[in-house]
Every structure is written in C-alpha cells, then in structure tokens.
C-alpha cells in the first residue's frame, strides 16, 4: 500500500513556545545551570526531559542559586522580575514571546503617556500578570462584555488604551470593542491577539479535508487538542492520542480504515495520512507518530513521500546556524501580528521579524495582504540583536534587488512596466514597480505642463525606463513615452485601415473658432464648424464642449498632410430635405414673421426654413410700408408660390393665399345655390 504522511504546517508548539523550549535546550547544551520561572511548557514529557538534563523549575527569582541562569518563559513576567534578577546578578535568558513583549512595550508607553490601560483577559493568567507588571499601576482587567459594561457605566477614563491577552477570544474582543463609545475623545485600541490557535485549527481543517485519515496528538484534557479532534473528525476518520505508543492499541482500526479507503479509490490510490498536534505537543511526539504510522500501515512498502522530520536534528541545525547582518536567508512566516509585523522562523536561535515598512514599499497594504502563515520568504538580515534574541529582516530589500534586475532587463528590452504611483515628490512622481521605486519626472508624467500631479496618486500607471543608475539602484521612468508610442501605433493602424465614410465615436479634445478636434483613438480629426449643426451657429462652442462625445464620419483623408476631415451632420436631419419632402408649391400654410425688410418679410414655415413674402405679395392693394401689414411675431397664412432647390429659396404670398380662400368660398356659395340643393332647402 502506498501512502503519504503529511503533518499540518502549524501542528504542535506555537512559535513562541517552540522558541522558549529551544532556548532552554540551548542553555543546557552550553553547560549552564538553568532554572525556569514556572514550567516552560505544559507538557510533562518535555518538562521531565529538561528536568533530567538539569533544568530546575522555580516559583520565585529569590529561589535562584548563585550563577544559575533564569529563563523567562513565553508568557513573560512583570518588570519587577527583571529588576529583582538584575539585582541578584544572575544571568537571564528572556524567552518572552515577541507578541507578548510587544504588549509590554505598548502598555508601558501608553501609561507613560498618561493613559489608563484596559486589559481584556484572565487577571490570574501569568501572561496578564506579566502585562500588569508593565503598566505603571495604571490598569484595569476585564474578562468579558459584562465586566467591560460595568466599567463603561462608571465614567471611562479621559485617556484610555485597550489591549488583549494574546489568547483572548477574537469574537469576544470584537464585541467588546463595539461596546466602547465611538465619541471617546482619546481612546487607542491595540489588537494584540495572537492568531496561532486559529491558524492551527484552520490548517488542521484544510489537511483533514484532503486526508483519508487523521491523527491528532495531544493531551486528553488539552482543550485546544480536543478542538482539533472535533475539527478533523468532521472531515475524515480521526484518532486522538496523547502518546505515539497509543497508536498500537488502535492499529487494527486504522489498518481497516486504510484498506477501506484504498478499496474505495482503487489499487493505485496513495493513502493520505494527516497528522496535527495540540499547542503543547513537542515535535518529538509528532516524529514518533509519523514513525508508528509508517509501521502500522505497511512495513514493507517504500514511502517516498513520507516527510522525514527529526526534532533533535532540527534543533541542532538551528543552534549551529549563525546569522549575520547582510545575510540572505530563507524564512517561514510563523505568525502575523496585527497590522505591523510578521514573525519569521529563520531556523536560528533568534526570533526573526519583519516590520511593515520592510515587508513592502506599498503603504496601502497590510501584512496579511502580502503574506500568510507558512509562506517561505527570501529575506535579508538588516540587524541582529543578540541581547534581545531578535533578527530584523527585510523582504522589501530582496524584492528591490530582484525587482531592480527586472528593471534592468526591462530597460534593455524597452519593455513597458506597470506600477502604482506611491507619492508625489518635488519634480515628479514615485511609482512602485515590483518593489522598486521608479522616479517619473513631471515632464514625463503624461500630464500637461503645470497640471496637478496628485491626480495620479495611488493610480496604476504604465511606463518605460528611460535611465538607470546601477550603482545607486535608481531608475527613471516615462509615462509620456508609453503614451506617445501608443499614440504612434494607433495612428499607424488608423492610416492603414481608415477610409472615407468610416464612423467613429470620439471625445472632443479641443475647440477653435473654425471647428472641433475629435479623438478617433490616438489620432485627432477636425469637424468644421459648418459640419457641426444644420442650424446657423457662430462658433463650435455654441453646440459642443470639450469632453463631449460625438459621432463623426470621415469626409476626407490626407495621409501626406495627416489631415482628417470629419462630418457630423446627417443628411436625413437636413431641414431643407425634410421641408421639400413634406411641402410643395401651392400648399397653404401658417408661418411666423421672423424679420421685416423694405422689400418684404421673411416668414418661418418649419424649423430653420424661412420663405420670403415679397412686398407685392403682402396684400391685394398696393403696400408702401411692409410694417403697415405685418410685424415680427405675427402668424400669417401664406401660399407657397415657388421653391428654388438650387438656391434653397422659397417664395410665399399672403395675397394668393387670400385669393385661394376667396375662390374656395365662391365655390362653396355656388354649391349652396346649385340645382342640387338639398330637398329640405325649399
Ligand atoms: Fe504562542 Fe506567542 Fe502566540 S506564545 S500563542 S505565539 S503569543
């Protein structure tokens, strides 16, 4: 039977506990006499192993023997403990989890600034006791919402900061924060919850979904191990064991489950076995579980995919590994602390961390946007602090190195890069492209002279590199050049394909007294003022504005001069065509006098179509002054007496309209007195 054993990424000790245990082993290996302030971890086998190697457990620094090294466990301790040990002269190894140490720093700063600190957590828990000891007496602990409500009902301090125990329930924390008044004048909230437990559960959930069976290792009464068992058993058959040897008791059941899975999936099926472990389960037990499981499933088959793991070997490796400033190292993200830091395991005795500014140069991002727990990162060591046991690392600088190599390649290949404008600086913009800052001078921004560069802030931009300084790792980019090249390409394509009559929808880019320039997609054409409207207009701005969208068609093209003449008016909208379609000579219509001259009056028949009523046609009698008969605004009944299509002129006559009416009346009278009068006329 082929099988693959996979251990969940975050199984067993959390980052902080793992580090603390390693530090105790390291101190013992260095030949020190060691005492831990309380058990270093809640696991009997680890504690007894350390004890067998000489590590004592004490309750109070006063119990230290001369020369004995005190190891402070991951929970941390009050400031007074450091003072007490310093006074005794005993050496100290501080294994306080960096996440807890961060809380100590926060509460010390906040109380020094005059703020009262509210701590969400269990007041009796050693971690909370440690936090209290850094608060300068200015603190209040609350366990849950009801205790917080009591504090709110009393008057809240005017200056307030709030933190949480690292293992505080995150849902409860959100609820508590929601209770705080939003209009508090000076309230600082620090989310200091560590996500190690939640991550361990989600890793176990993911692994058990793709496994045929799961083994959960950890104490029977360990609540976080029981929770892991619950999570996994929902997805596949799962066994909870405290020690690896317990697997022997359930070997038959496990083999049967394995056989069932293989029967279900076929003979080629590779049995998938998942392992996870509670927070206080050491790597040694996980290793033993792996070994036992290999033996139980099949002792004769090779296990090519089985992950080998040796706690001792890993420990040995990590302690012999020396890290120096400037080293390029590979690290695994151990946890993400709020919005500020990422803790990284670099396989050394020190704790690795990356501040947000060293994680990315993109100020709009937070750590969880960039990395997740378990990610492997290429990093540069920027500072080693042996006293604090920390290593400051930078991902950004590695990204910049790699990014700059890409910039050089793009420069040589004249490749277009994409980036986001990070800031507006004196003389231009700074854009980020794959972790490298590229300066774009204002003249290369693609905006007009004197334009506000802030319109590009946080915007994605495309640019080419026009200059690089390899030594100083500086690059200069140009958006303008990309735009010009794109315009040139669009122009070339236009001249290749465009023909008279083609229709475009384009934006009006500019206006002159004689026409409007319209963007046809990288190339501009001009609509003459006479082409903009069938009405008489004085200038283009009477009917269009810059930014308007206009439908145009190509009237004429000249590739040599590059001139493109566009039309906008449509024949079907031509008022003269409409008029001649609807009216003919002889029609009697109502018209409105629009102007009066010495030789007659102009009357409007339809929109924009006027005809002339000559003075001789105004009335049957002789007229010497036009205004004696009609004035502007009068409505008159006229007869269309002539339509000149060539000159687009219309002649009208009031006189003839009157004659026609009289004739019609005469005809009506004749009918009335005809022989065919109705019978009742008598
Ligand atoms: Fe562990 Fe430190 Fe979180 S001790 S649970 S990694 S706060």
């Amino acid at each position: 039977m082929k099988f693959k054993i996979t251990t969940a990424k975050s199984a067993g000790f959390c980052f902080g506990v793992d580090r603390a245990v390693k530090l105790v082993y390291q101190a013992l290996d260095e030949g020190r006499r060691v005492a831990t302030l309380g058990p270093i971890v809640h696991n009997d086998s680890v504690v007894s192993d350390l004890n067998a190697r000489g590590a004592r457990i004490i309750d109070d620094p006063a119990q230290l023997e001369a020369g004995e090294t005190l190891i402070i466990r991951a929970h941390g301790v009050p400031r007074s403990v450091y003072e007490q040990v310093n006074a005794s002269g005993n050496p100290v190894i501080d294994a306080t989890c960096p996440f807890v140490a961060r809380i100590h720093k926060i509460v010390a700063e906040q109380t020094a600034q005059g703020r009262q600190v509210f701590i969400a957590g269990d007041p009796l828990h050693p971690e909370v006791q440690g936090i209290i000891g850094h608060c300068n007496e200015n603190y209040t602990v609350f366990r849950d919402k009801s205790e917080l409500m009591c504090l709110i009902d009393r008057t809240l301090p005017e200056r307030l900061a709030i933190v949480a125990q690292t293992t505080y329930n995150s849902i409860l924390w959100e609820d508590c924060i929601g209770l705080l008044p939003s209009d508090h004048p000076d309230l600082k909230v620090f989310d200091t919850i560590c996500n190690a437990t939640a991550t361990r559960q989600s890793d176990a959930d993911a692994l058990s979904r793709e496994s045929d069976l799961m083994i959960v290792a950890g104490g029977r009464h360990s609540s976080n191990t029981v929770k892991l068992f619950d999570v996994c058993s929902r997805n596949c058959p799962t066994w909870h064991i405290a020690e690896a040897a317990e697997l022997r008791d359930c070997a038959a059941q496990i083999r049967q489950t394995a056989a069932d899975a293989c029967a279900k999936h076929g003979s080629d099926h590779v049995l998938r076995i998942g392992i996870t472990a509670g927070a206080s389960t050491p790597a040694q037990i996980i290793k033993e579980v792996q070994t036992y499981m290999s033996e139980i499933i099949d002792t004769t088959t090779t296990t090519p995919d089985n992950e080998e793991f040796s706690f001792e070997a890993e420990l040995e490796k990590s302690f012999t590994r020396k890290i120096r400033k400037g080293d390029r190292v590979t690290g695994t993200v151990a946890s993400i602390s709020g919005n500020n830091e990422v803790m990284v395991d670099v396989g050394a005795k020190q704790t690795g961390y990356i501040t947000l500014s060293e994680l990315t140069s993109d100020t709009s991002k937070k750590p969880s946007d960039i990395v997740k727990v378990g990610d492997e990162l290429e990093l540069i060591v920027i500072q080693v602090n042996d006293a604090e046991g920390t290593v400051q690392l930078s991902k950004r600088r590695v990204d910049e190195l790699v990014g700059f190599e890409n910039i050089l390649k793009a420069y040589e290949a004249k490749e277009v890069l994409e980036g986001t404008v990070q800031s507006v600086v004196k003389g231009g913009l700074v854009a980020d492209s794959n972790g490298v800052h590229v300066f774009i001078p204002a003249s290369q921004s693609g905006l007009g002279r004197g334009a506000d560069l802030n319109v590009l802030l946080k915007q994605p931009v495309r640019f080419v590199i026009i200059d690089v300084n390899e030594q100083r790792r500086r690059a200069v980019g140009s958006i303008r050049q990309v735009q010009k090249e794109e315009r040139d390409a669009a122009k070339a394509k236009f001249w290749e394909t465009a023909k008279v009559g083609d229709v475009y929808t384009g934006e009006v880019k500019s206006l002159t007294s004689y026409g409007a320039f319209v963007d046809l997609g990288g190339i501009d054409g001009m609509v003459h003022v006479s082409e903009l409207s069938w009405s008489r207009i004085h200038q283009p701005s009477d009917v269009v504005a810059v930014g308007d969208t206009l439908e145009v068609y190509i009237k004429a093209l000249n590739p040599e001069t590059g001139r493109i003449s566009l039309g906008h008016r449509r024949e079907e909208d031509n008022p003269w065509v409409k008029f001649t379609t609807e009216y003919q000579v002889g029609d009697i219509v109502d018209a409105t006098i629009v102007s009066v001259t010495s030789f007659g009056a102009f009357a409007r028949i339809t929109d924009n179509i006027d005809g002339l009523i000559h003075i001789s046609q105004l009335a049957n009698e002789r007229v010497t002054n036009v205004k004696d008969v009609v004035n502007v605004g009068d409505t008159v009944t006229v007869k269309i007496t002539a339509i000149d299509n060539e000159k687009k002129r219309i002649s009208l006559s009031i006189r003839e309209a009157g004659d026609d009416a009289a004739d019609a009346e005469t005809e009506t009278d004749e009918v009335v007195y005809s022989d065919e009068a109705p019978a009742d006329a008598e």
Side-chain angles (χ1 to χ4, degrees):
M1 185 186 296
K2 285 186 181 171
F3 64 95
K4 176 181 178 180
I5 298 178
T6 307
T7 305
K9 271 183 192 156
S10 54
F13 287 171
C14 68
F15 162 73
V17 171
D18 186 51
R19 174 173 171 266
V21 172
K22 282 179 180 174
L23 285 170
V24 182
Y25 277 108
Q26 182 192 16
L28 290 168
D29 285 352
E30 286 169 358
R32 297 191 194 208
R33 284 186 299 118
V34 166
T36 62
L37 199 53
I40 199 78
V41 59
H42 297 298
N43 182 281
D44 292 345
S45 62
V46 175
V47 171
S48 35
D49 183 52
L50 289 171
N51 197 276
R53 292 182 185 221
R56 290 199 309 136
I57 298 174
I58 58 171
D59 302 321
D60 192 302
Q63 297 166 340
L64 280 169
E65 293 170 0
E68 202 172 26
T69 299
L70 177 73
I71 299 187
I72 296 170
R73 59 186 176 168
H75 291 320
V77 291
R79 192 188 294 139
S80 58
V81 171
Y82 294 94
E83 290 162 1
Q84 193 180 351
V85 186
N86 283 344
S88 73
N90 285 76
V92 180
I93 293 175
D94 189 357
T96 304
C97 174
F99 296 143
V100 178
R102 177 173 163 257
I103 306 177
H104 293 175
K105 195 163 169 258
I106 290 170
V107 298
E109 281 172 3
Q110 294 305 310
T111 49
Q113 288 170 16
R115 289 191 183 83
Q116 173 91 4
V117 171
F118 279 10
I119 305 163
D122 175 357
L124 300 177
H125 192 281
E127 180 192 323
V128 176
Q129 288 294 314
I131 295 168
I132 289 170
H134 291 262
C135 284
N136 302 316
E137 301 295 320
N138 235 344
Y139 69 89
T140 306
V141 183
F142 65 93
R143 280 173 227 261
D144 49 31
K145 285 197 284 183
S146 58
E147 290 191 5
L148 178 61
M149 275 312 292
C150 290
L151 294 169
I152 293 171
D153 286 346
R154 287 187 242 143
T155 312
L156 283 175
E158 277 180 15
R159 306 195 70 202
L160 177 63
I162 179 165
V163 297
Q165 186 179 338
T166 53
T167 48
Y168 200 71
N169 182 303
S170 55
I171 296 170
L172 184 54
W173 167 255
E174 292 298 332
D175 288 349
C176 290
I177 297 307
L179 293 176
L180 293 166
S182 55
D183 58 352
H184 191 286
D186 185 356
L187 168 65
K188 290 198 178 253
V189 177
F190 298 90
D191 181 354
T192 50
I193 296 173
C194 168
N195 57 8
T197 306
T199 304
R200 193 182 299 107
Q201 281 172 15
S202 67
D203 283 354
D205 183 47
L207 180 59
S208 58
R209 281 175 195 277
E210 54 192 39
S211 297
D212 293 309
L213 62 97
M214 282 290 295
I215 307 297
V216 178
R220 295 238 172 268
H221 305 294
S222 154
S223 61
N224 76 83
T225 309
V226 171
K227 179 74 185 161
L228 288 176
F229 175 76
D230 288 345
V231 167
C232 296
S233 54
R234 269 185 242 139
N235 301 325
C236 67
T238 305
W239 282 264
H240 176 181
I241 45 128
E243 300 288 339
E246 290 176 22
L247 284 169
R248 296 216 182 282
D249 301 335
C250 41
Q253 285 175 300
I254 291 173
R255 280 202 195 94
Q256 186 56 53
T257 304
D260 290 347
C262 291
K264 183 176 166 193
H265 297 292
S267 55
D268 286 343
H269 180 62
V270 178
L271 185 75
R272 296 154 304 176
I273 300 166
I275 298 174
T276 187
S280 48
T281 309
Q284 177 61 28
I285 290 182
I286 298 172
K287 166 67 182 159
E288 285 170 10
V289 172
Q290 291 171 338
T291 308
Y292 270 75
M293 285 304 294
S294 301
E295 288 170 12
I296 288 168
I297 296 300
D298 193 338
T299 51
T300 58
T301 311
T302 53
T303 59
D305 292 324
N306 189 3
E307 291 172 0
E308 284 299 328
F309 184 89
S310 161
F311 181 62
E312 292 82 357
E314 288 297 311
L315 193 64
E316 188 54 35
K317 253 197 278 169
S318 72
F319 286 163
T320 51
R321 182 165 186 192
K322 290 270 182 290
I323 287 201
R324 289 181 198 83
K325 187 174 174 181
D327 282 356
R328 206 156 155 171
V329 296
T330 303
T332 307
V333 176
S335 58
I336 297 169
S337 164
N339 291 333
N340 305 314
E341 273 179 4
V342 172
M343 310 310 288
V344 180
D345 183 358
V346 286
K349 65 179 179 180
Q350 297 96 337
T351 305
Y353 69 95
I354 314 169
T355 58
L356 182 58
S357 62
E358 290 298 337
L359 190 64
T360 175
S361 52
D362 186 344
T363 50
S364 67
K365 298 226 163 106
K366 52 185 192 298
S368 54
D369 295 333
I370 299 159
V371 293
K372 60 181 187 313
V373 172
D375 280 359
E376 214 165 72
L377 307 177
E378 283 291 307
L379 303 159
I380 282 181
V381 176
I382 53 177
Q383 197 170 23
V384 179
N385 188 332
D386 279 330
E388 287 183 5
T390 55
V391 179
Q392 192 184 359
L393 303 156
S394 176
K395 175 178 183 295
R396 175 177 62 81
R397 297 183 198 197
V398 175
D399 291 345
E400 280 176 6
L401 281 175
V402 175
F404 201 77
E405 284 161 17
N406 292 334
I407 291 271
L408 285 174
K409 281 187 204 152
Y411 178 49
E412 277 157 27
K414 296 186 171 47
E415 189 188 314
V416 176
L417 295 171
E418 290 181 0
T420 305
V421 174
Q422 294 297 321
S423 55
V424 174
V425 295
K426 193 174 174 213
L429 306 163
V430 175
D432 176 272
S433 177
N434 292 318
V436 180
H437 278 171
V438 176
F439 175 65
I440 298 169
S443 61
Q444 299 297 322
S445 67
L447 299 175
R449 204 187 177 85
D452 181 6
L453 297 178
N454 283 298
V455 296
L456 291 176
L457 196 57
K458 305 293 171 210
Q459 296 300 312
V461 287
R462 301 169 71 242
F463 51 86
V464 285
I465 303 299
I466 53 174
D467 193 20
V468 284
N469 181 329
E470 278 192 65
Q471 268 181 338
R472 299 180 68 200
R473 288 218 294 276
R474 298 273 159 83
V476 180
S478 170
I479 298 171
R480 199 180 81 171
Q481 200 160 307
V482 173
Q483 291 175 342
K484 183 180 177 305
E485 281 163 13
E486 287 175 350
R487 268 199 312 272
D488 289 349
K491 271 184 197 167
K493 188 167 175 219
F494 176 87
W495 287 113
E496 254 173 45
T497 57
K499 55 188 186 307
V500 170
D502 283 355
V503 176
Y504 291 83
T505 301
E507 188 184 315
V508 177
K509 303 300 280 186
S510 61
L511 297 176
T512 65
S513 59
Y514 52 86
F517 285 88
V518 177
D519 179 14
L520 305 177
I523 188 164
D524 290 352
M526 194 198 71
V527 189
H528 190 265
V529 63
S530 62
E531 270 295 330
L532 283 169
S533 172
W534 287 108
S535 312
R536 262 183 229 110
I537 57 171
H538 298 296
Q539 55 204 357
S541 59
D542 290 347
V543 285
V544 288
V546 171
D548 283 358
T549 302
L550 220 56
E551 187 171 286
V552 293
Y553 63 92
I554 297 175
K555 283 185 75 180
L557 288 164
N558 188 336
E560 278 164 30
T561 59
R563 284 200 184 141
I564 305 158
S565 173
L566 303 172
H568 172 61
R569 302 188 309 183
R570 294 265 165 204
E571 198 52 29
E572 57 265 32
D573 298 328
N574 186 339
W576 179 263
V577 174
K578 280 185 172 175
F579 170 77
T580 53
T581 312
E582 287 176 27
Y583 298 91
Q584 53 195 342
V585 171
D587 284 355
I588 308 276
V589 294
D590 284 339
T592 306
I593 303 298
V594 289
S595 65
V596 172
T597 68
S598 57
F599 55 86
F602 286 94
R604 182 149 298 172
I605 304 163
T606 63
D607 277 351
N608 299 314
I609 297 294
D610 300 342
L612 173 66
I613 312 168
H614 190 264
I615 190 167
S616 61
Q617 297 299 317
L618 283 170
N620 284 328
E621 58 276 14
R622 182 180 157 74
V623 176
T624 50
N625 186 357
V626 175
K627 288 187 178 173
D628 289 345
V629 184
V630 290
N631 281 290
V632 171
D634 289 353
T635 301
V636 292
T637 301
V638 292
K639 179 177 178 181
I640 300 171
T641 53
I643 297 174
D644 183 340
N645 261 320
E646 210 169 302
K647 293 183 180 161
K648 299 205 170 31
R649 284 186 185 162
I650 303 161
S651 300
L652 305 172
S653 172
I654 295 175
R655 224 177 76 187
E656 288 192 30
D659 289 348
D660 283 2
D663 290 348
E665 208 164 300
T666 307
E667 279 168 21
T668 309
D669 291 346
E670 281 168 3
V671 170
V672 170
Y673 295 102
S674 75
D675 294 340
E676 295 170 15
D680 62 356
E682 290 179 5

